[in-house]
Amino acid sequence: MSNVNYTEDNIRSLDWKEHIRIRPGMYIGKLGDGSSPDDGIYILLKEILDNSIDEYVMGFGKKIEIHHEEGEIHVRDYGRGIPLGKVIDCVSKINTGGKYDSKAFKKSVGLNGVGTKAVNALSDYFLVQAYRDGKTKKAEFNQGTIENDHKISSSAEDNGTLTVFKPDNTIFKNYKFRNDYVENMLWNYAYLNAGLKLVFNKKILVSKNGLLDLLNNKTNEETNRYPIIHLKGNDIEIALTHGNQYGEQYYSFVNGQNTTQGGTHLNAFREAIVKTVRDFYGKNYDPKDIRASIIAAISVRVEEPVFESQTKTKLGSNDIGPDGPSVRAFVADFLGRELDNYLHKNPEVAKEIQKRIMQSERERKEIAGVKKLANQRAKKANLHNKKLRDCRVHYSDSSRKSTDQDKKSTTIFITEGDSASGSITKARDVKTQAVFSLRGKPLNCFGLTKKIVYQNEEFNLLQHALNIEDGLDDLRYNQVVIATDADVDGMHIRLLLLTFFLQFFPDLVRNGHLFILETPLFRVRNKQKTIYCYSEEEKQNAINELRGKPEITRFKGLGEISPSEFKDFINENIKLEPVIMNNDTDIQVLLDYYMGKNTPKRQTFIIDNLKVEKDLELSDNKKNVEQLVEA
């Protein structure tokens, strides 16, 4: 054993900003580049917004303005404004804030006084300016260190606080705020704070009916089995309906925080809906049939909530408050009473719910036999040797169970063909990246029932690899990446896989797990430098930069990219395009457009969106596109 000195010199005490910068994951979860809704840059924005929302909840300020431009975020609220003498302390002194007085902020989101400081420490530029009673105080920071401490001066501005920050690109490499994700976050704040006006890049977001508006925007009235049920009580609000989609769809919130990973309140709701329905109908229906195709939103307010991480995405509290009931009892009592009353008063809705349950029961029994055979086939196919090159996080080692943090770092690439999967397999990070190899083009499953997932070997093995047969609770990979060639066939395979996920596993898409891998179309290089280009424009810029006569290579397939080059594209510099479902996305309409009956509109879309070299003969391209569309 080597001798290692262990003396006083080995002991370090970090100041607050050093600790945050060295261990950012402890404060904001994963870093990321903004391609996923739970990436760190959105947590930074959330930490600032939470303070503004708390002001509104306390009755101060009915408007919050948010502006995003070139990676910089401005947030201006019209609350009371930070007390001018404490402006610097509140954003740079750990465990300093106004929420330790539980009387003032009994049901606040942030209680530990860390959030804003983390934003400050992890930003290249951070400005805070408080407006209060005709005076203002401003301070500017760089990576948590104060650079400009402005004196208190007079101001004609309304009370409130302005915060400006630009994430540090040495920590958030190649980051990009996606306005779709920001807008979705802001809509959630609007739904949970009826009457609050949020202005994002001049677009006004406001809700009058809370979670009822949320479900109205997330569902289609034509495909809902019955009108949305909207129930409100003290510290609890619930909206629910059933649709025709596969899976369960939930939106859960605690004290205005979107708990994307659920927690005790969502578990309580899922249990309570089963008990309430069973009691109402007097039948012992299977929980899966009761919850099949459910779409629901639940919001609760809890005193001094305990979350399972600093990012507050999963509630760990067991009690509503020091003197209150358990979260489980609170939700069960409210739903058991209010939903039961609603169903008695609305017999038509009760009848539709029962029809949906019985339909699910029939479908489940019909699939049961096929499912058993499919599971046996999957075992015989030796999935982990033939189709899946797994990552070490999931190696079957009974002595070590992978943690939630392990799973958050995992990615699976779905690719087609031995050459492409072979290159990615050799280039990947074996600890966290897995590869699933398709054989040929997947089946177009548009309009088919879930029975086909078990009957089709490729689909069956894919769902087993992801472990999503019974929902997302046991999803094995945080990022599911479609990695296909940038040509006609590759786009077709991409559309077929998107159809599969949207039709049978829409929750995977809704929860931000599905991505498209962007791989370079061209390599432009000379003896001194190599540039990889993702478009014709980038290629031309590279040619101009390198001058002379650089060597230009067109990558027509993933298999043509060597493993050594692939390392640049699927590790640190990976480019992932998230598959985002907007508020107004209707899956049935979407699939019908892309995969349903052939339309000239769809042909035009495919032609316009193919990344094809300018010198590729139009006639050949048109012929390939026509074959794709007909397929």
Side-chain angles (χ1 to χ4, degrees), residues 178-301:
R178 295 177 186 273
N179 286 346
D180 285 336
Y181 286 156
V182 174
E183 189 171 320
N184 187 62
M185 179 197 298
L186 296 178
W187 267 120
N188 285 337
Y189 280 118
Y191 296 135
L192 295 167
N193 299 278
L196 171 65
K197 181 189 288 186
L198 293 148
V199 184
F200 177 49
N201 287 358
K202 298 185 178 179
K203 180 177 180 179
I204 296 174
L205 289 69
V206 65
S207 168
K208 292 182 180 179
N209 303 301
L211 296 188
L212 176 61
D213 288 341
L214 185 153
L215 281 205
N216 273 324
N217 285 333
K218 298 283 188 182
T219 64
N220 187 326
E221 188 178 354
E222 295 179 6
T223 54
N224 290 347
R225 299 297 290 262
Y226 53 87
I228 295 168
I229 300 171
H230 187 210
L231 309 171
K232 289 186 74 172
N234 290 329
D235 294 330
I236 186 168
E237 180 180 2
I238 289 172
L240 68 97
T241 187
H242 280 78
N244 289 310
Q245 83 290 346
Y246 288 99
E248 303 171 35
Q249 185 177 338
Y250 298 110
Y251 305 92
S252 70
F253 306 89
V254 173
N255 295 9
Q257 166 64 38
N258 185 9
T259 44
T260 53
Q261 292 183 292
T264 52
H265 61 311
L266 182 55
N267 294 338
F269 172 82
R270 295 178 77 241
E271 288 177 8
I273 192 76
V274 171
K275 184 178 187 307
T276 302
V277 166
R278 281 175 169 175
D279 290 348
F280 180 81
Y281 296 107
K283 294 183 181 292
N284 196 34
Y285 289 123
D286 190 292
K288 290 182 180 178
D289 297 327
I290 292 172
R291 296 195 297 251
S293 302
I294 194 170
I295 311 166
I298 175 172
S299 171
V300 298
R301 291 206 168 267

Side-chain angles (χ1 to χ4, degrees), residues 237-461:
E237 180 180 2
I238 289 172
L240 68 97
T241 187
H242 280 78
N244 289 310
Q245 83 290 346
Y246 288 99
E248 303 171 35
Q249 185 177 338
Y250 298 110
Y251 305 92
S252 70
F253 306 89
V254 173
N255 295 9
Q257 166 64 38
N258 185 9
T259 44
T260 53
Q261 292 183 292
T264 52
H265 61 311
L266 182 55
N267 294 338
F269 172 82
R270 295 178 77 241
E271 288 177 8
I273 192 76
V274 171
K275 184 178 187 307
T276 302
V277 166
R278 281 175 169 175
D279 290 348
F280 180 81
Y281 296 107
K283 294 183 181 292
N284 196 34
Y285 289 123
D286 190 292
K288 290 182 180 178
D289 297 327
I290 292 172
R291 296 195 297 251
S293 302
I294 194 170
I295 311 166
I298 175 172
S299 171
V300 298
R301 291 206 168 267
V302 177
E303 285 189 37
E304 300 185 1
V306 176
F307 295 96
E308 294 193 5
S309 71
Q310 166 62 17
T311 54
K312 309 179 183 79
T313 54
K314 188 174 184 180
L315 180 67
S317 298
N318 289 315
D319 300 314
I320 289 294
D323 303 316
S326 69
V327 172
R328 185 178 180 182
F330 178 69
V331 175
D333 179 67
F334 174 79
L335 199 63
R337 179 180 66 254
E338 298 300 326
L339 181 57
D340 183 78
N341 288 342
Y342 183 94
L343 294 178
H344 276 100
K345 293 176 182 177
N346 297 272
E348 290 303 312
V349 172
K351 190 182 295 184
E352 285 301 318
I353 291 177
Q354 190 170 38
K355 281 183 184 178
R356 185 65 192 88
I357 293 170
M358 294 173 71
Q359 178 186 336
S360 176
E361 192 175 58
R362 286 193 302 272
E363 291 174 353
R364 180 172 53 83
K365 290 178 179 177
E366 181 184 303
I367 288 174
V370 180
K371 181 178 177 181
K372 186 177 180 180
L373 291 173
N375 289 339
Q376 291 172 352
R377 285 202 312 273
K379 288 180 182 178
K380 287 181 181 178
N382 203 353
L383 169 66
H384 287 265
N385 286 339
K386 292 185 178 180
K387 304 289 292 181
L388 177 68
R389 281 85 166 181
D390 211 346
C391 54
R392 284 181 185 160
V393 166
H394 291 311
Y395 283 169
S396 53
D397 178 359
S398 58
S399 66
R400 181 187 179 279
K401 187 176 180 182
S402 57
T403 65
D404 287 343
Q405 195 58 43
D406 287 334
K407 291 177 183 177
K408 280 182 181 179
S409 66
T410 55
T411 298
I412 184 169
F413 297 98
I414 304 171
T415 190
E416 189 269 331
D418 293 336
S419 58
S421 63
S423 290
I424 295 181
T425 299
K426 290 175 184 175
R428 67 185 172 131
D429 176 351
V430 294
K431 181 183 178 184
T432 60
Q433 294 177 333
V435 182
F436 183 90
S437 179
L438 291 169
R439 185 182 62 207
K441 288 184 180 178
L443 175 73
N444 182 356
C445 59
F446 173 69
L448 303 180
T449 67
K450 201 167 188 178
K451 190 175 181 180
I452 197 66
V453 177
Y454 297 97
Q455 291 176 328
N456 181 276
E457 184 178 13
E458 292 293 299
F459 286 161
N460 184 40
L461 293 177

